[in-house]
Amino acid sequence: MSSSPRPFFSMAGFRHGARASLPAFPGFIMFAVAFGTAASQKGLSFAEAVGLSAFVYAGASQMVGLEIWQKVWTPTTILTIMTVTAVVNSRMILLGATLQPWLRNEPLARSALNLFLITEAGWLIGTRYYNEGGRDVGVLLGAGVILWVVWLIATIVGFFAGALVPEPKTFGLDLVMPIFFSVMLVPLWKGARPALPWLVAGIVSFITHALLPGYGYIVAGALAGVIAGMLIE
């Protein structure tokens, strides 16, 4: 019985990963444009908006960060945004763990870059390729790099588009993100049982928001949803 081939890196794989990520472009562009617009309307500078997209690089966390964003920062608000971002992004721990067999012999710098650039879309492209027998780590990196570049460009477009609209509520732009998230949730429906963690998270968030000031309801809801999902499974 022959062992599976060892992972390797090539520029051909990098180009293959970049091409494989093309179907994810519409979703990335829409979300990043919405973030850029929201950041502009929130009063962030161009550098702050692009910096969030470049270094946080997580749509849900960036949107949550906008809700907490303050003109004057205090240690409490800094700790809050760090905690919320960590909780929302905790799913990346599991995605990174599944890539360990593929990346364990990679140079540390390239592994770190791959893990920084990983998204659900890039992870799906990479793991599907890996499960089909592919071992070229360039595929994962190619998908990650091109999606990151698209994310930055779309953020810039959204930022300047948002700056042109003086009052977003006049045009209903304040409803863009609630509608977007609602539409994104529809394909995730797989029956009542898998939806129970969502329900638990929503109820806990609502109750926490009603009882406690601040943004603790985000953390409480996320943790409640995770725990509920673990218990149900």
Side-chain angles (χ1 to χ4, degrees), residues 64-150:
V64 170
L66 284 183
E67 292 296 319
I68 306 173
W69 196 268
Q70 303 290 329
K71 287 294 184 182
V72 179
W73 288 92
T74 66
T76 301
T77 54
I78 292 174
L79 180 61
T80 300
I81 197 170
M82 288 173 59
T83 303
V84 170
T85 302
V87 171
V88 173
N89 277 357
S90 60
R91 69 192 186 283
M92 296 299 175
I93 298 175
L94 297 178
L95 297 189
T98 63
L99 296 174
Q100 194 271 344
W102 197 4
L103 300 179
R104 61 186 171 191
N105 294 320
E106 277 286 284
L108 180 59
R110 198 156 62 208
S111 287
L113 181 59
N114 260 315
L115 293 174
F116 168 74
L117 293 172
I118 197 65
T119 60
E120 285 88 345
W123 175 84
L124 183 61
I125 292 167
T127 53
R128 180 175 179 178
Y129 166 81
Y130 185 88
N131 290 336
E132 291 174 351
R135 292 297 182 269
D136 191 340
V137 183
V139 171
L140 186 66
L141 187 59
V145 168
I146 195 66
L147 289 174
W148 183 76
V149 171
V150 168

Side-chain angles (χ1 to χ4, degrees), residues 3-8 105 135-136:
S3 59
S4 60
R6 288 176 58 86
F8 62 96
N105 294 320
R135 292 297 182 269
D136 191 340

Side-chain angles (χ1 to χ4, degrees), residues 197 200-202 204-205 208 216-226:
V200 171
V204 171
S205 294
T208 306
Y217 69 94
I218 300 174
V219 177
L223 291 176
V226 170

Side-chain angles (χ1 to χ4, degrees), residues 32 35 48-58 62 148 151-152 155:
F35 168 75
E48 288 169 338
V50 175
L52 278 172
S53 276
F55 298 110
V56 177
Y57 187 43
Q62 290 175 220
W148 183 76
W151 184 260
L152 286 185
T155 296

Side-chain angles (χ1 to χ4, degrees), residues 28-40 63 66 154-155 158-159 176-177 180:
F28 261 62
I29 292 171
M30 182 177 179
F31 207 150
V33 167
F35 168 75
T37 300
S40 174
M63 285 298 181
L66 284 183
T155 296
F159 182 87
V176 168
M177 286 315 299
F180 174 77

